[in-house]
Amino acid sequence: MPRPVKTERPVTTEPVSEPIQGTTIVVLHPGSMTLRLGRATDHFPQSLPHVIARKIRNVVKTEPSCNFLSRNGTLGKISEETHLKGFQATKSFINTMRISGGLRKHKTTSSEVAAYNAQVVPVETENDGSVSWTDTNDDSFDSLIGEQVLKLPPNSPYSCRWPMRFGELNTHSGIGGSISSILTDLETLWGKAIEKYLDIPLKDLSYYRAVLLLPDMMNKSHAKLLIDVILNRLKFSCILVHQESVCGTFGSGLPSACVVDVGAEKTTICCVEDGISVSSSRIQLNYGGNDITRTFYWLLKSINFPYKSLDVNNMFDLQLLQELKETFCHLSLALPSGQVHEFQVVTPDKNIQTYKLRLGDEPLIAPVGMFIPSLFGITSSRLIETYSDVDHDPEDLMDDRYLLEKRDIDAKKSKIDGEEIQECITPPPCLPKEHLRLDPIRDQGMPLDEAIMYSIESCSNLETKRKMYGTVLLIGGGLSFKGADEFLLKRLQAQLPAHYQFVKDQMEVIARPKESDPRNTCWKGGAVLSILDSAQELWISRNEWNKYGVRIVRERCGFQWSSNMDKL
C-alpha cells in the first residue's frame, strides 16, 4: 500500500451528511499570476494577484525581484536576435493577410510614429491621492498578499514571491524557492484571501468544502501537495479536484469543445468531449499574455515611447504596461494605424503625468506573436510540452513507471533450478520521453493555430475531430483582444484538412462564452460542477485522503489521474 500522507494535525471533523449547500463550497482557481476564489453561489469570483511578500530582517535580499515579465532558467531566455527575426516575419505575415483580405491601405510608417513620439512632453497635474503605497510601518504585518504586494514602496524589507509559475509550483534555488517554503506561502496566501475576501474565519473551514481547479498537465506530485494544503493545512472538510479544460466547458455551457486557455505564462489546449478531457490532445505552449506584454514594450521602445523612465522592476510601471496592452492591443486587421492616444502615469507621492502616444501597427504586431512565437525572442527547449511528458510518482502503486520496473524485476527474479527464465517482454509504447519533438524547429515554439490543429488531429475518433473543428473555445485573459476570435477562425479555416472542408462554414471560435469575462470561465465551471448531483460522488474527505492518499484521488477525481495510463 502507498504511504499515507503524514500530518501532525489530527482529524477533527467528518464530512457533513446533510445536503450540500453552495454557500459552504469555496472554489479555488490558482493561476500563475492571479488567484480566483469565491463561494459556489457567487456570480463572479474575487480576483487578486497570486503573490505574497514576507518581511525579512537582517537578511540580504538575494532572490529575484517581483518583475513578472522576466524569464529565466530552462523556461527560456530572451534573445534580441530572435526578437528581430520574429519581427520581420510578423510584418510580412500581417501584410500577406491584409492583401489576401483586400485590406491593403496606406499605413503610418514606424519612422513617422517615432518622430511624433520623440517630441511628446508630459503634462503634469496634481496627484489626487487615489493611489498610495502599502503601509509597512506596522510590525504586525509579517506577510502581505495580492494588491498590497504590488504597492510596496521601493526598498521595503519584504521578500516578494510568486508561488506558481507556468502552471507548476515555482521551485528555485533562491530564498523561498523550496517546496516547504512554497507550501507555507500558499497556506498563508490562500488563508488570508479566504478571510479577507470571503469573510470566512479560518477556524470555521472544517465546515466548508473546497473545489480545486488544476491545469490539465500539472505535475501530479505538485497536485498532491496542493490537495494536502487544502485538507490538512487549511483544514477544509472535503475537496473536489478537477481540470481547467473540463471546467471551462462547464462554465461556457458547452458539451464538447477544443478548449484554448491562454494564460499569463502558458497556453494550454485540450479537446473535451462530453465532459471528458482527451488525454492525447493535451498540449502546452510555455508562452502567453506576459510575453505579449513584454514584446509590446519592446516595440514601444522602438518608436520612442515617451515615458522614458519606465522601470520594469517597478510594480506600478509593470501594471501600466499591462494596462497599455489591454487598452490598445488588438487582432483586427481593419483598424487604422497612426492614431494618437493618451495615457497617465500615476505613482504615489508624485504628480500625475499625462502623455500622448502615437501608435502604428505595434498594437497588432504584439499579439500576433502567438502565431509567430519567434517574435517573443524566447530561446528554450521547453516551449512545447505534450501529454507524453509525464511525471512519475514513487508513492503511486498504479504509476506507469512503477508497473514497468516491477515487471522487469519480477522477470529477472523468475528462475527454475537456478536457471533464469528468458521472457520476451515487449517494450511498451509509454516509455518516458524527454520531449516530443514535432519537427526540428519546434524549440522556437509552435504557432497557436498549428498547435490547435495538432491537438485536434491527436484525437483518435473522426467524429470527435469533427466536433472539435466545429467549436473552439477561447478562454483566459492572455488573448482577450478585440478581433481575436475572428483572427483565429480565419487561421484555422485556412489550414483545415481537405476532408473536413464541409465543416468550414460551421466552424466557430467562442471568445466570450455567454458574454462573460473569459478569465472567469473555468472558475464558473468549477462552481457549476460542485453543485451538480452527478458530481457528489467525486468529493474526497480529509479522513479518506489521510488514509488512502493518491489512491482515493485516482478513484474519485472526474478525470484520468495518470495521463499515460491509457497507453499501457
Side-chain angles (χ1 to χ4, degrees), residues 197-223:
Y197 294 97
L198 304 186
D199 197 25
I200 302 174
L202 294 184
K203 63 182 179 62
D204 292 341
L205 289 183
S206 58
Y207 302 104
Y208 286 79
R209 296 170 177 246
V211 176
L212 176 63
L213 307 189
L214 297 175
D216 291 53
M217 293 177 59
M218 186 176 195
N219 184 305
K220 294 302 184 292
S221 61
H222 288 190

Side-chain angles (χ1 to χ4, degrees), residues 149-401:
V149 179
L150 302 189
K151 296 178 181 179
L152 278 171
N155 303 316
S156 58
Y158 281 87
S159 166
C160 173
R161 307 174 186 180
W162 298 89
M164 298 185 70
R165 296 295 302 268
F166 300 95
E168 304 283 356
L169 296 184
N170 183 22
T171 57
H172 55 82
S173 59
I175 297 175
S178 67
I179 288 290
S180 60
S181 294
I182 293 172
L183 297 181
T184 301
D185 286 343
L186 286 172
E187 178 187 0
T188 303
L189 202 167
W190 293 358
K192 285 195 168 191
I194 289 169
E195 285 189 311
K196 179 178 180 180
Y197 294 97
L198 304 186
D199 197 25
I200 302 174
L202 294 184
K203 63 182 179 62
D204 292 341
L205 289 183
S206 58
Y207 302 104
Y208 286 79
R209 296 170 177 246
V211 176
L212 176 63
L213 307 189
L214 297 175
D216 291 53
M217 293 177 59
M218 186 176 195
N219 184 305
K220 294 302 184 292
S221 61
H222 288 190
K224 289 196 312 180
L225 295 172
L226 296 186
I227 293 172
D228 200 62
V229 167
I230 288 176
L231 291 177
N232 284 326
R233 295 189 181 222
L234 294 175
K235 289 198 168 292
F236 279 92
S237 65
C238 299
I239 190 171
L240 188 157
V241 183
H242 222 305
Q243 297 167 306
E244 290 176 337
S245 63
V246 175
C247 291
T249 59
F250 273 106
S252 57
L254 296 171
S256 304
C258 178
V259 181
V260 182
D261 188 350
V262 185
E265 297 186 327
K266 65 177 178 61
T267 299
T268 55
I269 305 166
C270 180
C271 295
V272 177
E273 184 176 28
D274 298 327
I276 301 296
S277 167
V278 181
S279 61
S280 62
S281 70
R282 296 173 196 159
I283 183 169
Q284 178 172 305
L285 310 177
N286 286 322
Y287 38 87
N290 283 356
D291 299 288
I292 296 175
T293 305
R294 188 187 61 254
T295 301
F296 187 45
Y297 178 49
W298 179 75
L299 293 169
L300 289 176
K301 290 190 293 184
S302 71
I303 56 169
N304 291 324
F305 185 53
Y307 178 29
K308 304 295 184 184
S309 58
L310 187 145
D311 180 6
V312 293
N313 291 315
N314 180 299
M315 294 304 296
F316 279 94
D317 285 353
L318 281 176
Q319 292 178 84
L320 172 64
L321 283 178
Q322 291 277 52
E323 292 171 5
L324 292 176
K325 177 195 73 173
E326 293 172 1
T327 302
F328 300 131
C329 283
H330 63 87
L331 278 167
S332 176
L333 296 170
L335 286 180
S337 63
Q339 301 295 306
V340 177
H341 311 273
E342 281 190 357
F343 69 92
Q344 288 186 331
V345 177
V346 182
T347 308
D349 305 328
K350 292 183 180 180
N351 288 337
I352 297 175
Q353 294 183 318
T354 302
Y355 290 86
K356 290 187 179 298
L357 172 65
R358 193 177 190 188
L359 295 170
D361 272 344
E362 292 75 23
L364 173 61
I365 291 174
V368 169
M370 291 298 298
F371 301 87
I372 304 183
S374 59
L375 175 65
F376 295 146
I378 310 168
T379 56
S380 170
S381 61
R382 286 190 58 195
L383 290 184
I384 303 173
E385 298 178 29
T386 69
Y387 80 107
S388 61
D389 303 318
V390 180
D391 57 283
H392 299 278
D393 183 2
E395 294 186 356
D396 185 358
L397 294 184
M398 293 299 292
D399 176 76
D400 58 345
R401 176 176 288 180

Side-chain angles (χ1 to χ4, degrees), residues 27-31 34-38 45-48 477 519-520 523:
V27 183
L28 289 159
H29 184 195
T34 305
L35 170 65
R36 294 181 174 84
L37 75 164
Q46 299 286 339
S47 299
L48 64 149
R519 293 172 293 188
N520 298 334
W523 181 91

Side-chain angles (χ1 to χ4, degrees), residues 12-211:
T12 57
T13 61
E14 296 290 343
V16 292
S17 57
E18 61 267 15
I20 299 174
Q21 302 295 322
T23 54
T24 63
I25 299 175
V26 175
V27 183
L28 289 159
H29 184 195
S32 299
M33 293 297 301
T34 305
L35 170 65
R36 294 181 174 84
L37 75 164
R39 290 179 173 86
T41 52
D42 294 340
H43 292 294
F44 308 103
Q46 299 286 339
S47 299
L48 64 149
H50 201 189
V51 62
I52 184 172
R54 292 192 179 276
K55 182 167 286 187
I56 52 178
R57 297 178 175 87
N58 303 321
V59 177
V60 177
K61 187 176 179 181
T62 58
E63 70 276 7
S65 70
C66 260
N67 180 358
F68 51 76
L69 298 184
S70 65
R71 275 183 170 265
N72 49 50
T74 59
L75 286 171
K77 298 181 180 180
I78 306 303
S79 162
E80 187 71 17
E81 180 182 357
T82 307
H83 252 321
L84 291 171
K85 289 181 179 178
F87 176 63
Q88 295 299 327
T90 304
K91 287 203 303 182
S92 299
F93 176 79
I94 291 174
N95 288 336
T96 301
M97 288 197 68
R98 278 181 169 146
I99 294 172
S100 63
L103 297 172
R104 186 71 172 176
K105 298 180 180 179
H106 170 74
K107 64 170 186 158
T108 307
T109 64
S110 297
S111 58
E112 292 174 320
V113 172
Y116 178 91
N117 291 332
Q119 300 176 12
V120 171
V121 177
V123 176
E124 290 193 1
T125 56
E126 186 176 350
N127 196 323
D128 60 4
S130 59
V131 176
S132 60
W133 298 113
T134 298
D135 181 14
T136 60
N137 294 323
D138 192 338
D139 289 336
S140 65
F141 292 159
D142 286 332
S143 61
L144 303 169
I145 67 168
E147 291 288 346
Q148 292 177 312
V149 179
L150 302 189
K151 296 178 181 179
L152 278 171
N155 303 316
S156 58
Y158 281 87
S159 166
C160 173
R161 307 174 186 180
W162 298 89
M164 298 185 70
R165 296 295 302 268
F166 300 95
E168 304 283 356
L169 296 184
N170 183 22
T171 57
H172 55 82
S173 59
I175 297 175
S178 67
I179 288 290
S180 60
S181 294
I182 293 172
L183 297 181
T184 301
D185 286 343
L186 286 172
E187 178 187 0
T188 303
L189 202 167
W190 293 358
K192 285 195 168 191
I194 289 169
E195 285 189 311
K196 179 178 180 180
Y197 294 97
L198 304 186
D199 197 25
I200 302 174
L202 294 184
K203 63 182 179 62
D204 292 341
L205 289 183
S206 58
Y207 302 104
Y208 286 79
R209 296 170 177 246
V211 176

